[in-house]
Amino acid sequence: MTEVEMPEAEDSQERPGITLARGVCRLLRSHGFAPLTEYVPVPGLRVDVMALGPKGEIWVVECKSCRADFTSDRKWAGYLDWCDRYFWAVDEAFPQDLLPEDTGLIMADAWGGEILRMPPEHRLAGARRSAVTRGFARAAALSLQRLREG
Amino acid sequence: MTEVEMPEAEDSQERPGITLARGVCRLLRSHGFAPLTEYVPVPGLRVDVMALGPKGEIWVVECKSCRADFTSDRKWAGYLDWCDRYFWAVDEAFPQDLLPEDTGLIMADAWGGEILRMPPEHRLAGARRSAVTRGFARAAALSLQRLREG
């Protein structure tokens, strides 16, 4: 009977990489994926973009605006356990050599993007896939509901 | 690479029961469920409200504004195959005797509602539950994306 609690979205203007996230969402949609920003798969982890494919594929994309944004991120390896494929999204100025080779790479701006490197697939186990999909579904529906209610 | 296609929402002003749907969504949220309106689980079926519970429970609520709205509905029995529990939502003036006894009953208005009768649970099989949850997740995320893009 308790009201569903959702973490409040942070001010998008203050978060680096948020304009990249917009382009990433458009790119993902053009690939048939349904994107959701700022999803929290487990307390303490907030992914920039999670996307659900037509066959239930789960991708995570972390958006990095600059070198410091990347080097200060100590959580990203934890995201690997919550997706089938993991990507970085960066802009043209980003020093790509910093990024681990066995991760995906998306070049993006605020308006769109392109997948430059497809990462290997590490498929989630069934139980976790179900839990992530369900959490994604509930988060998306509740955000939509909030937005419509104004 | 094809753009994901979603059916366009119909003009909400013209659909009977849409004000009930709003109250139903609020009610469902207060029960910890994430509601989604106008979801199409399979081509040809459009449910007024589908909601996903914290444990993955799938409820469907059809909103009926008047006797004619109910008697002209020849599809509702088909909805039973897509949920664990099925409810009608009606307003105070609706002749409740029309409704089958083994279905759920919600009394609602535009602002909220109350569950008057909890229906029996007919749990979906695992494969269908996964498919419905995935479809719900993608539909909610794509609607949210559309709304944010404006």
Side-chain angles (χ1 to χ4, degrees):
Chain A
M1 291 284 187
T2 55
E3 179 81 1
V4 177
E5 291 194 7
M6 292 277 295
E8 292 297 319
E10 296 168 34
D11 183 354
S12 62
Q13 298 302 320
E14 295 177 8
R15 301 196 72 239
I18 202 75
T19 55
L20 292 182
R22 179 177 140 166
V24 166
C25 285
R26 290 184 175 186
L27 166 69
L28 290 166
R29 222 173 107 185
S30 76
H31 282 263
F33 278 66
L36 179 65
T37 57
E38 307 279 321
Y39 177 59
V40 179
V42 67
L45 279 188
R46 180 190 301 265
V47 302
D48 288 338
V49 184
M50 180 174 273
L52 196 57
K55 295 176 181 174
E57 309 95 315
I58 297 171
W59 289 3
V60 162
V61 184
E62 281 297 294
C63 301
K64 292 300 174 193
S65 58
C66 61
R67 175 187 293 264
D69 190 15
F70 172 76
T71 56
S72 65
D73 184 347
R74 289 168 189 170
K75 289 186 173 178
W76 77 266
Y79 300 147
L80 299 175
D81 293 336
W82 299 94
C83 59
D84 300 315
R85 295 188 198 268
Y86 180 86
F87 299 79
W88 301 103
V90 300
D91 64 15
E92 284 188 335
F94 189 93
Q96 296 178 19
D97 292 348
L98 287 180
L99 304 173
E101 280 195 5
D102 57 346
T103 53
L105 179 58
I106 290 171
M107 183 76 75
D109 59 21
W111 308 99
E114 187 182 354
I115 296 175
L116 295 189
R117 184 172 67 223
M118 182 67 77
E121 184 180 46
H122 300 289
R123 287 183 63 78
L124 294 177
R128 175 156 293 189
R129 178 181 310 283
S130 294
V132 173
T133 304
R134 184 195 312 153
F136 178 111
R138 284 172 49 83
L142 288 168
S143 292
L144 183 62
Q145 163 89 352
R146 283 232 169 78
L147 212 59
R148 283 189 172 150
E149 289 257 332
Chain B
M1 291 284 189
T2 56
E3 179 81 1
V4 178
E5 292 196 5
M6 292 277 296
E8 291 296 320
E10 297 168 35
D11 182 354
S12 63
Q13 297 302 321
E14 295 178 7
R15 302 196 70 239
I18 202 74
T19 55
L20 292 182
R22 178 176 139 165
V24 166
C25 285
R26 290 184 174 187
L27 166 70
L28 290 166
R29 222 173 106 185
S30 76
H31 281 263
F33 279 66
L36 179 65
T37 57
E38 308 277 322
Y39 176 59
V40 179
V42 66
L45 280 188
R46 180 191 301 264
V47 303
D48 287 339
V49 184
M50 181 174 273
L52 197 57
K55 296 177 181 172
E57 310 95 311
I58 297 171
W59 289 3
V60 161
V61 185
E62 281 298 293
C63 302
K64 292 300 174 191
S65 58
C66 61
R67 175 187 292 266
D69 191 15
F70 173 74
T71 56
S72 66
D73 184 346
R74 290 168 189 170
K75 289 186 172 178
W76 76 267
Y79 300 146
L80 299 176
D81 293 336
W82 299 93
C83 60
D84 300 315
R85 295 188 198 267
Y86 180 87
F87 300 78
W88 301 102
V90 299
D91 63 15
E92 285 189 335
F94 189 93
Q96 296 177 18
D97 291 348
L98 287 180
L99 304 173
E101 280 195 4
D102 57 346
T103 53
L105 179 58
I106 290 171
M107 183 76 74
D109 59 21
W111 308 99
E114 187 183 354
I115 297 176
L116 295 189
R117 185 172 65 223
M118 184 66 78
E121 184 180 47
H122 300 289
R123 287 183 63 79
L124 294 177
R128 174 156 295 188
R129 178 181 310 282
S130 295
V132 173
T133 304
R134 184 195 312 152
F136 177 111
R138 285 171 48 83
L142 288 168
S143 291
L144 182 62
Q145 163 89 353
R146 282 233 167 77
L147 211 59
R148 283 188 172 151
E149 290 259 329

